[in-house]
Amino acid sequence: MKTTKFLSIAIVFTLLFGTAVFAQKEKTVMVGGAPMYPSKNIIENAMNSKDHTTLVAAVKAADLVTTLQGKGPFTVFAPTNEAFAKLPKGTVETLLKPENKSKLQSILTYHVVAGKMNSADIAKAIKKGNGKAVLATVQGGKLTAWMDGKTLYITDENGNKSKVTIADVNQSNGVIHVVDTVVMPKA
């Protein structure tokens, strides 16, 4: 009887506190009010961030979910909902239409670099490049990474800059750097 009661208490304890203990062991980063687990992939984590609902909707509309759930590794510069809101009125709605799928894919894959580059890796590349590092995107374009003090920025091929607001959000298949502006490939 005591053994059964002990096991029951142990199971309840594990169910209630196991996730919290696991999160502590994983060194989660909070993004959009949710912990980002290094053991989960880019899509699994992004779906939990209330700051990335537009990005998740765009990834779904562009049929890129399977790709970003893949092995990778990927470095993703992930625009927030506020970043998408900076685009001209109606842009997001237009891009989410099925007839604009290829354009949306191009924009989204422009935010992705093959391989895992944490902020220290990017900083080393910037130092090696005398203040700038050119990153080849999965889309085929280039992003330029640079720093202003300790703040990391990326600039697109059109000269628009985006600030990294949360760096080094590790994923099972790469790393996310949250950015405050959507960058665009050359038209």
Side-chain angles (χ1 to χ4, degrees):
M1 179 86 168
K2 284 187 178 185
T3 303
T4 306
K5 189 173 185 179
F6 176 77
L7 286 174
S8 297
I9 291 170
I11 290 170
V12 169
F13 181 80
T14 301
L15 290 173
L16 291 175
F17 301 106
T19 303
V21 171
F22 188 65
Q24 289 173 352
K25 287 181 183 177
E26 280 203 75
K27 286 187 128 183
T28 59
V29 175
M30 295 297 286
V31 176
M36 300 290 112
Y37 295 93
S39 62
K40 292 185 177 183
N41 68 47
I42 291 165
I43 296 298
E44 290 170 328
N45 276 319
M47 287 175 52
N48 292 322
S49 169
K50 67 177 172 44
D51 291 346
H52 290 90
T53 56
T54 304
L55 177 61
V56 169
V59 167
K60 288 178 180 178
D63 283 333
L64 292 173
V65 171
T66 304
T67 302
L68 291 174
Q69 285 178 326
K71 187 175 180 179
F74 304 106
T75 299
V76 177
F77 294 97
T80 60
N81 295 341
E82 289 179 6
F84 281 101
K86 290 180 183 180
L87 295 171
K89 187 176 174 105
T91 301
V92 173
E93 295 77 10
T94 300
L95 287 170
L96 292 176
K97 292 180 179 179
E99 61 267 23
N100 296 318
K101 182 176 166 180
S102 64
K103 183 173 175 100
L104 181 59
Q105 286 174 334
S106 178
I107 292 168
L108 293 176
T109 57
Y110 188 66
H111 288 80
V112 180
V113 174
K116 182 177 180 181
M117 294 188 76
N118 62 33
S119 60
D121 297 327
I122 297 170
K124 283 180 195 171
I126 291 169
K127 187 174 181 178
K128 186 177 178 181
N130 295 316
K132 293 184 179 178
V134 178
L135 309 174
T137 70
V138 172
Q139 178 267 354
K142 305 249 184 268
L143 291 171
T144 302
W146 53 282
M147 297 186 80
D148 184 3
K150 291 186 177 189
T151 305
L152 178 61
Y153 288 88
I154 56 171
T155 301
D156 66 22
E157 295 168 310
N158 303 301
N160 302 307
K161 71 178 183 177
S162 185
K163 178 181 174 181
V164 174
T165 58
I166 303 174
D168 300 331
V169 184
N170 289 307
Q171 316 288 301
S172 65
N173 61 345
V175 62
I176 289 176
H177 302 291
V178 178
V179 294
D180 70 351
T181 305
V182 175
V183 290
M184 295 288 194
K186 261 207 183 326

